[in-house]
Amino acid sequence: MIELFVRLIRRPQGLVGVTLLALIAVACLFGQALAPYAPEKIDFLGRFRPPGWQNWLGADQFGRDILSRLMVGARSTVPMALIATFVGSAAGAIIGVGSAYLGGRTDEAIMRTNDAVMAIPGLLLALLLVSTLGNGAGNAVIAIAVAFAPGMARVTRSVALNVRNQDYVKAAIARGEGAAWIIFREMLPNVMAPIVIESTIRVSFAVMLFATLSFLGVGAQPPASEWGLMVADARQYMYQAPWGLIVPAAAIALTAIAFNLLGDGLRDALNPKDER
Amino acid sequence: MLSVTRRLFLAGTAISLVTLPRIAVADAPKRGGVLRMSLDQAASVIHPMLARVNPEYLVTELLYSNLTRLKPDMTVEPDLALSWEPNETRTEWIFKLRPGVTFHDGSPLTSEDVVASINAILDPKTASPGRTNVGPIKEVAAIDPLTVKFTLSGAYADLPVALTYLNARIVPAKVIASDLASLSTTANGTGPFKLVSYEPDRKIVVERNAVYYDPARPYLDRVELLVYPDRTAEASAMMSGEIDLLLTTTPGEYERLVKAAGVKALRTPSGQFLNINLGCDQKPFNDVRVRQALALAVDREATVGFVAGGYGTPGNDTPLNSAYHFYKNIPMKKPDVAKAKQLLAEAGYPNGIDLTLIASDRPATRTQLGVAVREMAAAAGFHINVQTMPHATYLDQVWKKGNFYVGFYNMQPTADAIFNLLYTSNATWNETRWNNSAFDAVINAARVETDEAKRTALYAKAQEMMNAEVPTVISAFFDLLAAQRSYVEGYTLHPRGSVFRLDLVSLGAGAPKRG
Amino acid sequence: MIPALAVKNYTLDYATAAGPVRVLHDISLQIGPGEVLGLVGESGSGKSSLAWALMRHLPDNAREIAGSLHLGDIDLQRLSPRELTRIRGRRLGMVFQDPSTSLNPTLTIGRQVTETLIQHRGIKQREADVLAVDLLSHVELRDPAAIMRRYPHEISGGEKQRVIIATAFGCRPDIILFDEPTTALDVITGARILELFARLREETGVAALYISHDLALVTRVADRVAVLKHGRLVEQAPAAEIFRAPRHADTQALVQAVPRPERRLIHDKSSDEVLLAASDIEVHYGRATLLGHAPPPATKRIGLDVRAGEILGLVGESGSGKSSVARALTGLAHFSGKVRFDNREITDARDMNAAYRRDVQIIFQHPDSSLNPRQKVSEILSRPLKLYGGNTAEIPRLLEQVRLPTSFADRWPHQLSGGQKQRVAIARAFAARPKLVICDEITAPLDVSVQAQIIELLLALRAATGTAFLFITHDLNLIRQIAHRIAVMRRGEMVDLLPAEDFDAEHVHPYTRELMAASPVPVG
Amino acid sequence: MSLAWFARRLLLMVYTVIVVSMLVFAITQVLPADAAQSLLGENATPEMLAALRAKLGLGAPAWQQYLRWAGHVFTGDFGISMRTSQPVGPEMLSALSRSLLLAASSILVTLVVAVPLGVVAALRQGRLADTGVSLIAYLGVSLPEFVTATLLALLLADTLHWLPATGYVSPLEHFGDGISHLALPVLTISVILIAHVMRMMRSETLDVLKSDYIRAARLKGLPERSVLFRHALRNALLPVVTIIGLDVGYLLGGIIVIEEIFAIPGIGRALMVAIAARDLPSIQAGALIMAATYAVTNTLADMAYAVLDPRIRYD
């Protein structure tokens, strides 16, 4: 584990990714305590105050401190994306490994249906689901998880299929091992790495999708300081107060970049090809 | 009586008063040209009796005519009706129609068309939103081809105003008899323009009606209505000259448009307001002290800033503001946290009170009001959780049923209309369930009162009652904001928000040539 | 006379994170005009590095420390990229190991042959087309004009290698580097390619550097043989002498490891007791789908029996169905037919009970994939012990049995070499104390010296436990050394099943004879 | 591309459409707040609601509604919009045509920009150009469409005045205007696609350049130019074709946001409007058409792949 971490941060993208994520983690954990102002405190005189000593990153249309909202908002943005990805990945992984292990026509039927569901664009599926479940951050998380599961299932299955064809699995079957042992001890440990890498990269999509849903008004709801919602709110004032738009947009982009970098870094660090 | 007759007189001579001075004083409006106007949302309904939102009202106004229409000062002028006369008790009204008017298909307008149209609006099966807004009509009958008689269920002085209602457009009787639903896809009216093409979410094109009853109007050859769902994008398009006129914009964009070259930003005070509805029949708002406490917690000046970007006027918990006739200037409530706390304590909430305020997501200002009120009222002990929901869900689950939610209303033509729409016990949308019989009595008395001074006094009383008892917190009225290119002439931003009069618009020097 | 190719005191390092690694030490060799020098070495001996150095295609981390490389009078190390482009192909040709990956899959054969001709012989497309047809017919390709229009995947591996050889000879280079040109091919196809090479060499008098891991093969094509070991040239000798009188100890070891059919490694007779009898075995992969036919069975009603303690060899080229038999017998593939083991009849994988699975063990070809990379050696070995009622305390004994240090129990598979992994796999199979072990090409990816050790180990295990083996291989020479009886398979059918000593007899199947002729027995 | 291959693809497409139709129908069945209420808005009275509900046929059991709907869809009739009273099919298809124009232009721009950049990055692996391309790629895939769209509009339309901010003009009606109105949305969509395809192209090119046949081509003495263009490029492009086929799924999703922001009356916005208005026939038709489009383009990509890659041709 430590060895992996060292290998990870030895690469520039791994180092940048880990550093950014550390910052984000600090914001998620201590944002509330560190924020200079209460994130929802309105200030009539401070409306559209540009960045300066009073509000380091400026203030929004209610005179709320953008830095504080950003720091507190990290908690309503990043963990949501993580949860959505985790739930979606777990569901997808179970479907994928199960389908690969079952094989044959069952596998065919599961995967064709899975592909069919994937034909509905993720955002559309999420939109429909949120409309059904009702607007809100929690429902957006569910919707993203559902939208992610088929893709994860497909990825996992292809990896699992490859693992299932490995001789050590065949050896286990020839030996007369049970299905549980083969799935959990022989196959699963060997599909974990690709799943973790893929999920890490998908977190960045989840961050963006979550922000997009909030932007479209069906995700997090005011007065939450979710970043996508902040962008949506600031958009109508973007000429008066562009900082209100640029700051949360940059936060979303940096978070997405961080997870992308981490995913790529992990992929490299876990790739046995680079080992001499 | 005096006021009514004076209005009637004015109405009767409206043609000469409205159109002649223009010809005499200014240069004659230039004929021809194509006007591109942007709509803030799709005009998804062109059925004149089913239209519900401003872009749809605009389209049906272009294609159809009412008997009467509303001027910017909220008085009426003739449209298809040349003149009208009530009986002594104002329970029967005789309307004389303008002769020689034809529909777009060439057939002549007769009193049969008017009778059929009004009956269709009143028919519940039509499901027209105008059904409850065109006045207490009991029966409508054709006396001769150009005379129509309205029989009312009670005295009603404002019938000519009510008939300006946006769904009370006149359509051919034969269409009503054969297939009224066909008006959802085709149009046949007496309006200044004829329908050329209709794509609800993209573009609607109308062209000049050459046989409009006023041979001079309209001045434009063609009007193209383009749907711009994004306000920022719309303002940008206005600044780059892609569109000549926009229907409405936000304070933020307005500030940009004011500074833009070649653009004339338009602004007019209006009676459009955002409010917080309090369910007066349930805890905790059945206690007047809680309502008063909330009213005292809200900073009205600040609210105008937060939700209207400063482009509006503070409200004093009555639906009337200076844009209305009969507005009574009561000293504006000042935020008073101590008093509010005290009232709340007296009502039995010494430790404050937890509430959930529901706001629909359209328009976004509803949520903004919620967020602002939440923060402003916190000091007084109101712990408000703002919950937003899609507009459709809101209409289904909250509206008229909820106990504590944000409302949003256009200006109505008369004081009577707004009070009877929202606040009397038998109001069409009795949201607050205030059910104050004293208040009802005042409004009913004002309705039939003919003496201007007495009527003013009655409406003043009504406003004072609402101000004191706070069935609803009305803290901000909006100015209507829009913009046009400088070369657009003759357009007036109507405070009603849903009257446009593009038949008076022409293109002046500098207008781009458009095919 | 100037040699066609001269390497003098050449020393090459690779820079790695752990410091420089020397891959070639002070190499000196010469190839005269028209001469063929065979370069032999096991994997990691540096033979490919030398080829890449000559082709000037070294990886970025290569550091040339000393020495010179000359092609005739041209100093290869001083060529500019532009000059190099003119030398490659034109003066210095190359034939690659794997013909299936050396041709661009998306260009026609004709295009890939003519582009080289146009580049190096300065001719027009039309002339090049004519010349290419000529060249292809010269390498004994039937209907060369049709081949020209085909894509690589539409012709066989042997045909591809002929195309590559035709291209290499087409530009009339001074010298051609052959980098294991037959390794990726089947035995018989490889033999034909060698014949072609011999003929073309005769005709053109081209000099060649022939690189291979197969000493026996090299002695048959080369005039002289150079032996590389750990980057050092240990011996250079005429081809005829290297087997007869290897001078260097390393060469001797290498020669010793080469399988020779006449040098039998087992001397006992097998018993008559039948351990496993399989009859009418047909192996099926995949079923008919809505829109596709089922693929044909991989084997056609095969029957064979394994006797107690016997080594039964099963040989055949790739695709002959020999591995399918192994899979059927271990329940890894669907089959029809009957297997009789221990007086029990088995018609389906489900009939294979724990006793059968314990008694019949399988060892796979690829050591990398047969050990779970996420399990330590101890866990890998403990599993059959737990499953078949053994004791995990036996793990050290199992490791010793396969001659691995007991400390290896704590290692991960990736910390082991190929040979060591294969020993762990063997230990895993023997943990069950089986009666029959199926070895599916288990030595194919290993160097001959490692192969010899593994074979020796297996024979020792057999001697100790009396286990029977079903030994599947494509190497006829190897199996003739160790098997009691040998079955020959071809395209899913079993064409011969003979005692090993009867292989030279008259009555063997023509295919078996062809296979024997194609298996290069060392010269000398 | 044998007949069986083609038939199998076709069958899969049909299966996809059926699964999607059931799924979409199921979702629309449980949408809260009914269409009648949403249609009538604040003016609804109970009688009006009842009348409208009866008219819209909202009472029947779900499976009956599905079968009836599916039957009509099969004959090309998607029903009448509850919101606009217009036939849904033609409305959605003309919206789709505008979306496809947007999508096709974006893919074109993407290919023109991303392929050369990816190749250059691969050739200059580890150097400045490669690092630059990688950074752009990271940025591109990490910006949600709504951010890119807003920032680009802020920069190109309102600060520099190079392009019209939004709106849609049909290039058939007015070519120049049409193109300039498409520019910003196409650019926005392309940013993400370019990042994706560029990354793909880079890694594919690297893989191909490491392949044996490229080494063989070099060692045959072919000049670098022909190694690159004749041998490497085509093989590196092959997987990119598949990727683009799969990206259409993303594209159609992204288009929802882009069309919403840039006021393009395409299928994405039609869907947004329909969802907001609970206009069930429009939601069903729009989602189904989108999924079908994805299935078709995916199949097309597969076929393009088969055409480009001789290995698949005779399967």
Side-chain angles (χ1 to χ4, degrees), chain A residues 108 112-113 119 131-132 208 235 239 257 264, chain D residues 8 12 15 138 141-142 158 199 261 275 294:
Chain A
E108 176 90 3
R112 289 290 87 84
T113 307
S131 304
T132 306
M208 291 194 281
R235 207 167 158 265
Y239 301 100
I257 287 178
D264 283 0
Chain D
R8 191 180 150 74
L12 278 180
Y15 182 72
Y138 273 120
V141 295
S142 304
D158 292 288
R199 252 172 119 173
I261 291 177
I275 290 173
Y294 176 71

PDB file of all heavy atoms in Angstrom, chain A residues 108 112-113 119 131-132 208 235 239 257 264, chain D residues 8 12 15 138 141-142 158 199 261 275 294:
ATOM      1  N   GLU A 108     -25.131 -13.440 -22.060  1.00  0.00           N
ATOM      2  CA  GLU A 108     -25.564 -12.744 -23.274  1.00  0.00           C
ATOM      3  C   GLU A 108     -26.795 -11.883 -22.986  1.00  0.00           C
ATOM      4  O   GLU A 108     -26.838 -10.704 -23.315  1.00  0.00           O
ATOM      5  CB  GLU A 108     -25.884 -13.800 -24.347  1.00  0.00           C
ATOM      6  CG  GLU A 108     -26.433 -13.243 -25.645  1.00  0.00           C
ATOM      7  CD  GLU A 108     -25.334 -12.917 -26.635  1.00  0.00           C
ATOM      8  OE1 GLU A 108     -24.151 -13.185 -26.308  1.00  0.00           O
ATOM      9  OE2 GLU A 108     -25.640 -12.396 -27.715  1.00  0.00           O
ATOM     10  N   ARG A 112     -26.749  -7.845 -23.141  1.00  0.00           N
ATOM     11  CA  ARG A 112     -27.497  -7.155 -24.200  1.00  0.00           C
ATOM     12  C   ARG A 112     -28.474  -6.156 -23.584  1.00  0.00           C
ATOM     13  O   ARG A 112     -28.632  -5.034 -24.043  1.00  0.00           O
ATOM     14  CB  ARG A 112     -28.246  -8.155 -25.078  1.00  0.00           C
ATOM     15  CG  ARG A 112     -27.347  -8.997 -25.972  1.00  0.00           C
ATOM     16  CD  ARG A 112     -26.701  -8.194 -27.092  1.00  0.00           C
ATOM     17  NE  ARG A 112     -25.444  -7.567 -26.699  1.00  0.00           N
ATOM     18  CZ  ARG A 112     -24.267  -8.187 -26.718  1.00  0.00           C
ATOM     19  NH1 ARG A 112     -24.160  -9.413 -27.129  1.00  0.00           N
ATOM     20  NH2 ARG A 112     -23.182  -7.547 -26.335  1.00  0.00           N
ATOM     21  N   THR A 113     -29.119  -6.565 -22.491  1.00  0.00           N
ATOM     22  CA  THR A 113     -30.033  -5.656 -21.818  1.00  0.00           C
ATOM     23  C   THR A 113     -29.269  -4.476 -21.240  1.00  0.00           C
ATOM     24  O   THR A 113     -29.690  -3.322 -21.327  1.00  0.00           O
ATOM     25  CB  THR A 113     -30.790  -6.401 -20.695  1.00  0.00           C
ATOM     26  OG1 THR A 113     -31.382  -7.560 -21.271  1.00  0.00           O
ATOM     27  CG2 THR A 113     -31.859  -5.531 -20.094  1.00  0.00           C
ATOM     28  N   ALA A 119     -27.951   2.679 -23.995  1.00  0.00           N
ATOM     29  CA  ALA A 119     -28.307   3.502 -25.146  1.00  0.00           C
ATOM     30  C   ALA A 119     -29.019   4.777 -24.717  1.00  0.00           C
ATOM     31  O   ALA A 119     -29.104   5.734 -25.471  1.00  0.00           O
ATOM     32  CB  ALA A 119     -29.189   2.708 -26.117  1.00  0.00           C
ATOM     33  N   SER A 131     -36.545  13.411 -12.138  1.00  0.00           N
ATOM     34  CA  SER A 131     -37.904  13.937 -12.293  1.00  0.00           C
ATOM     35  C   SER A 131     -38.900  13.014 -11.608  1.00  0.00           C
ATOM     36  O   SER A 131     -39.910  13.453 -11.068  1.00  0.00           O
ATOM     37  CB  SER A 131     -38.264  14.059 -13.774  1.00  0.00           C
ATOM     38  OG  SER A 131     -37.317  14.848 -14.425  1.00  0.00           O
ATOM     39  N   THR A 132     -38.606  11.719 -11.672  1.00  0.00           N
ATOM     40  CA  THR A 132     -39.510  10.760 -11.058  1.00  0.00           C
ATOM     41  C   THR A 132     -39.398  10.775  -9.538  1.00  0.00           C
ATOM     42  O   THR A 132     -40.395  10.798  -8.827  1.00  0.00           O
ATOM     43  CB  THR A 132     -39.182   9.341 -11.566  1.00  0.00           C
ATOM     44  OG1 THR A 132     -39.208   9.371 -12.985  1.00  0.00           O
ATOM     45  CG2 THR A 132     -40.174   8.348 -11.045  1.00  0.00           C
ATOM     46  N   MET A 208     -19.099  16.063 -12.335  1.00  0.00           N
ATOM     47  CA  MET A 208     -19.641  16.921 -13.394  1.00  0.00           C
ATOM     48  C   MET A 208     -21.133  16.696 -13.592  1.00  0.00           C
ATOM     49  O   MET A 208     -21.892  17.633 -13.788  1.00  0.00           O
ATOM     50  CB  MET A 208     -18.879  16.660 -14.692  1.00  0.00           C
ATOM     51  CG  MET A 208     -17.452  17.156 -14.630  1.00  0.00           C
ATOM     52  SD  MET A 208     -16.703  17.228 -16.254  1.00  0.00           S
ATOM     53  CE  MET A 208     -16.302  15.532 -16.529  1.00  0.00           C
ATOM     54  N   ARG A 235     -24.890  32.465 -13.005  1.00  0.00           N
ATOM     55  CA  ARG A 235     -24.861  32.632 -14.437  1.00  0.00           C
ATOM     56  C   ARG A 235     -25.626  33.875 -14.889  1.00  0.00           C
ATOM     57  O   ARG A 235     -25.204  34.582 -15.792  1.00  0.00           O
ATOM     58  CB  ARG A 235     -25.460  31.403 -15.103  1.00  0.00           C
ATOM     59  CG  ARG A 235     -24.912  31.213 -16.464  1.00  0.00           C
ATOM     60  CD  ARG A 235     -25.241  29.876 -17.009  1.00  0.00           C
ATOM     61  NE  ARG A 235     -25.134  29.986 -18.448  1.00  0.00           N
ATOM     62  CZ  ARG A 235     -26.161  30.233 -19.232  1.00  0.00           C
ATOM     63  NH1 ARG A 235     -27.354  30.309 -18.724  1.00  0.00           N
ATOM     64  NH2 ARG A 235     -25.992  30.379 -20.516  1.00  0.00           N
ATOM     65  N   TYR A 239     -22.098  38.916 -15.962  1.00  0.00           N
ATOM     66  CA  TYR A 239     -21.429  40.124 -16.449  1.00  0.00           C
ATOM     67  C   TYR A 239     -21.176  41.107 -15.313  1.00  0.00           C
ATOM     68  O   TYR A 239     -20.225  41.855 -15.326  1.00  0.00           O
ATOM     69  CB  TYR A 239     -22.238  40.768 -17.560  1.00  0.00           C
ATOM     70  CG  TYR A 239     -22.405  39.819 -18.690  1.00  0.00           C
ATOM     71  CD1 TYR A 239     -23.586  39.103 -18.860  1.00  0.00           C
ATOM     72  CD2 TYR A 239     -21.348  39.565 -19.556  1.00  0.00           C
ATOM     73  CE1 TYR A 239     -23.713  38.184 -19.880  1.00  0.00           C
ATOM     74  CE2 TYR A 239     -21.466  38.651 -20.570  1.00  0.00           C
ATOM     75  CZ  TYR A 239     -22.650  37.961 -20.737  1.00  0.00           C
ATOM     76  OH  TYR A 239     -22.765  37.056 -21.732  1.00  0.00           O
ATOM     77  N   ILE A 257     -10.459  17.202 -12.549  1.00  0.00           N
ATOM     78  CA  ILE A 257      -9.080  16.967 -12.989  1.00  0.00           C
ATOM     79  C   ILE A 257      -8.355  16.114 -11.953  1.00  0.00           C
ATOM     80  O   ILE A 257      -7.639  15.163 -12.295  1.00  0.00           O
ATOM     81  CB  ILE A 257      -8.337  18.308 -13.191  1.00  0.00           C
ATOM     82  CG1 ILE A 257      -8.846  18.985 -14.462  1.00  0.00           C
ATOM     83  CG2 ILE A 257      -6.835  18.091 -13.284  1.00  0.00           C
ATOM     84  CD1 ILE A 257      -8.231  20.335 -14.730  1.00  0.00           C
ATOM     85  N   ASP A 264      -5.502   8.112 -13.611  1.00  0.00           N
ATOM     86  CA  ASP A 264      -4.408   7.813 -14.530  1.00  0.00           C
ATOM     87  C   ASP A 264      -3.158   7.417 -13.772  1.00  0.00           C
ATOM     88  O   ASP A 264      -2.431   6.506 -14.168  1.00  0.00           O
ATOM     89  CB  ASP A 264      -4.117   9.038 -15.407  1.00  0.00           C
ATOM     90  CG  ASP A 264      -5.150   9.178 -16.509  1.00  0.00           C
ATOM     91  OD1 ASP A 264      -6.057   8.325 -16.557  1.00  0.00           O
ATOM     92  OD2 ASP A 264      -5.045  10.117 -17.306  1.00  0.00           O
TER      93      ASP A 264
ATOM     94  N   ARG D   8     -27.676  -9.802 -37.141  1.00  0.00           N
ATOM     95  CA  ARG D   8     -27.471  -9.793 -35.700  1.00  0.00           C
ATOM     96  C   ARG D   8     -27.447  -8.365 -35.160  1.00  0.00           C
ATOM     97  O   ARG D   8     -28.076  -8.053 -34.148  1.00  0.00           O
ATOM     98  CB  ARG D   8     -26.147 -10.504 -35.389  1.00  0.00           C
ATOM     99  CG  ARG D   8     -25.967 -10.795 -33.937  1.00  0.00           C
ATOM    100  CD  ARG D   8     -24.641 -11.508 -33.699  1.00  0.00           C
ATOM    101  NE  ARG D   8     -24.142 -11.158 -32.383  1.00  0.00           N
ATOM    102  CZ  ARG D   8     -24.645 -11.632 -31.244  1.00  0.00           C
ATOM    103  NH1 ARG D   8     -25.649 -12.467 -31.273  1.00  0.00           N
ATOM    104  NH2 ARG D   8     -24.153 -11.254 -30.091  1.00  0.00           N
ATOM    105  N   LEU D  12     -30.117  -6.713 -32.569  1.00  0.00           N
ATOM    106  CA  LEU D  12     -29.682  -6.049 -31.337  1.00  0.00           C
ATOM    107  C   LEU D  12     -30.283  -4.651 -31.244  1.00  0.00           C
ATOM    108  O   LEU D  12     -30.701  -4.200 -30.187  1.00  0.00           O
ATOM    109  CB  LEU D  12     -28.157  -5.937 -31.307  1.00  0.00           C
ATOM    110  CG  LEU D  12     -27.433  -7.187 -30.829  1.00  0.00           C
ATOM    111  CD1 LEU D  12     -25.930  -6.959 -30.837  1.00  0.00           C
ATOM    112  CD2 LEU D  12     -27.888  -7.545 -29.432  1.00  0.00           C
ATOM    113  N   TYR D  15     -33.845  -4.937 -30.284  1.00  0.00           N
ATOM    114  CA  TYR D  15     -33.921  -5.289 -28.866  1.00  0.00           C
ATOM    115  C   TYR D  15     -33.673  -4.062 -27.994  1.00  0.00           C
ATOM    116  O   TYR D  15     -34.401  -3.800 -27.039  1.00  0.00           O
ATOM    117  CB  TYR D  15     -32.895  -6.385 -28.571  1.00  0.00           C
ATOM    118  CG  TYR D  15     -32.922  -6.867 -27.145  1.00  0.00           C
ATOM    119  CD1 TYR D  15     -33.971  -7.645 -26.682  1.00  0.00           C
ATOM    120  CD2 TYR D  15     -31.908  -6.533 -26.255  1.00  0.00           C
ATOM    121  CE1 TYR D  15     -34.008  -8.087 -25.384  1.00  0.00           C
ATOM    122  CE2 TYR D  15     -31.935  -6.966 -24.945  1.00  0.00           C
ATOM    123  CZ  TYR D  15     -32.996  -7.748 -24.513  1.00  0.00           C
ATOM    124  OH  TYR D  15     -33.031  -8.171 -23.227  1.00  0.00           O
ATOM    125  N   TYR D 138      -6.796  16.986 -20.232  1.00  0.00           N
ATOM    126  CA  TYR D 138      -7.305  16.910 -18.858  1.00  0.00           C
ATOM    127  C   TYR D 138      -8.341  17.998 -18.601  1.00  0.00           C
ATOM    128  O   TYR D 138      -9.391  17.757 -18.012  1.00  0.00           O
ATOM    129  CB  TYR D 138      -6.157  17.054 -17.853  1.00  0.00           C
ATOM    130  CG  TYR D 138      -5.496  15.746 -17.545  1.00  0.00           C
ATOM    131  CD1 TYR D 138      -4.151  15.542 -17.803  1.00  0.00           C
ATOM    132  CD2 TYR D 138      -6.223  14.701 -16.986  1.00  0.00           C
ATOM    133  CE1 TYR D 138      -3.537  14.331 -17.531  1.00  0.00           C
ATOM    134  CE2 TYR D 138      -5.620  13.491 -16.714  1.00  0.00           C
ATOM    135  CZ  TYR D 138      -4.281  13.312 -16.980  1.00  0.00           C
ATOM    136  OH  TYR D 138      -3.707  12.119 -16.708  1.00  0.00           O
ATOM    137  N   VAL D 141     -11.697  17.211 -20.535  1.00  0.00           N
ATOM    138  CA  VAL D 141     -12.605  16.194 -19.992  1.00  0.00           C
ATOM    139  C   VAL D 141     -13.090  16.558 -18.600  1.00  0.00           C
ATOM    140  O   VAL D 141     -13.963  15.897 -18.055  1.00  0.00           O
ATOM    141  CB  VAL D 141     -11.973  14.779 -19.941  1.00  0.00           C
ATOM    142  CG1 VAL D 141     -11.681  14.277 -21.328  1.00  0.00           C
ATOM    143  CG2 VAL D 141     -10.723  14.781 -19.089  1.00  0.00           C
ATOM    144  N   SER D 142     -12.514  17.599 -17.998  1.00  0.00           N
ATOM    145  CA  SER D 142     -12.899  17.929 -16.632  1.00  0.00           C
ATOM    146  C   SER D 142     -13.827  19.127 -16.532  1.00  0.00           C
ATOM    147  O   SER D 142     -14.185  19.548 -15.444  1.00  0.00           O
ATOM    148  CB  SER D 142     -11.644  18.188 -15.789  1.00  0.00           C
ATOM    149  OG  SER D 142     -10.797  17.076 -15.850  1.00  0.00           O
ATOM    150  N   ASP D 158     -19.362  37.707 -26.067  1.00  0.00           N
ATOM    151  CA  ASP D 158     -19.649  38.970 -25.411  1.00  0.00           C
ATOM    152  C   ASP D 158     -18.427  39.838 -25.184  1.00  0.00           C
ATOM    153  O   ASP D 158     -18.542  41.035 -25.076  1.00  0.00           O
ATOM    154  CB  ASP D 158     -20.349  38.684 -24.079  1.00  0.00           C
ATOM    155  CG  ASP D 158     -21.722  38.123 -24.323  1.00  0.00           C
ATOM    156  OD1 ASP D 158     -22.578  38.900 -24.747  1.00  0.00           O
ATOM    157  OD2 ASP D 158     -21.912  36.913 -24.158  1.00  0.00           O
ATOM    158  N   ARG D 199      -6.833  12.119 -26.602  1.00  0.00           N
ATOM    159  CA  ARG D 199      -6.195  11.194 -25.686  1.00  0.00           C
ATOM    160  C   ARG D 199      -6.147   9.793 -26.267  1.00  0.00           C
ATOM    161  O   ARG D 199      -5.152   9.095 -26.208  1.00  0.00           O
ATOM    162  CB  ARG D 199      -7.008  11.133 -24.393  1.00  0.00           C
ATOM    163  CG  ARG D 199      -6.329  11.818 -23.235  1.00  0.00           C
ATOM    164  CD  ARG D 199      -7.290  11.855 -22.106  1.00  0.00           C
ATOM    165  NE  ARG D 199      -6.775  11.135 -20.957  1.00  0.00           N
ATOM    166  CZ  ARG D 199      -7.386  11.140 -19.781  1.00  0.00           C
ATOM    167  NH1 ARG D 199      -8.505  11.807 -19.617  1.00  0.00           N
ATOM    168  NH2 ARG D 199      -6.884  10.499 -18.772  1.00  0.00           N
ATOM    169  N   ILE D 261     -28.662  25.739 -23.120  1.00  0.00           N
ATOM    170  CA  ILE D 261     -27.947  26.994 -22.919  1.00  0.00           C
ATOM    171  C   ILE D 261     -27.952  27.849 -24.181  1.00  0.00           C
ATOM    172  O   ILE D 261     -28.151  29.062 -24.123  1.00  0.00           O
ATOM    173  CB  ILE D 261     -26.498  26.704 -22.478  1.00  0.00           C
ATOM    174  CG1 ILE D 261     -26.509  26.120 -21.067  1.00  0.00           C
ATOM    175  CG2 ILE D 261     -25.663  27.973 -22.522  1.00  0.00           C
ATOM    176  CD1 ILE D 261     -25.163  25.724 -20.559  1.00  0.00           C
ATOM    177  N   ILE D 275     -39.978  17.286 -20.148  1.00  0.00           N
ATOM    178  CA  ILE D 275     -39.871  16.775 -18.775  1.00  0.00           C
ATOM    179  C   ILE D 275     -40.462  17.796 -17.798  1.00  0.00           C
ATOM    180  O   ILE D 275     -41.225  17.457 -16.903  1.00  0.00           O
ATOM    181  CB  ILE D 275     -38.403  16.452 -18.420  1.00  0.00           C
ATOM    182  CG1 ILE D 275     -37.937  15.227 -19.198  1.00  0.00           C
ATOM    183  CG2 ILE D 275     -38.257  16.209 -16.919  1.00  0.00           C
ATOM    184  CD1 ILE D 275     -36.463  14.918 -19.044  1.00  0.00           C
ATOM    185  N   TYR D 294     -28.804   6.586 -30.896  1.00  0.00           N
ATOM    186  CA  TYR D 294     -27.554   6.059 -30.371  1.00  0.00           C
ATOM    187  C   TYR D 294     -27.314   4.656 -30.906  1.00  0.00           C
ATOM    188  O   TYR D 294     -26.215   4.321 -31.342  1.00  0.00           O
ATOM    189  CB  TYR D 294     -27.609   6.042 -28.845  1.00  0.00           C
ATOM    190  CG  TYR D 294     -26.409   5.427 -28.198  1.00  0.00           C
ATOM    191  CD1 TYR D 294     -25.182   6.083 -28.227  1.00  0.00           C
ATOM    192  CD2 TYR D 294     -26.493   4.199 -27.570  1.00  0.00           C
ATOM    193  CE1 TYR D 294     -24.075   5.520 -27.636  1.00  0.00           C
ATOM    194  CE2 TYR D 294     -25.378   3.631 -26.978  1.00  0.00           C
ATOM    195  CZ  TYR D 294     -24.180   4.293 -27.007  1.00  0.00           C
ATOM    196  OH  TYR D 294     -23.087   3.732 -26.423  1.00  0.00           O
TER     197      TYR D 294
END
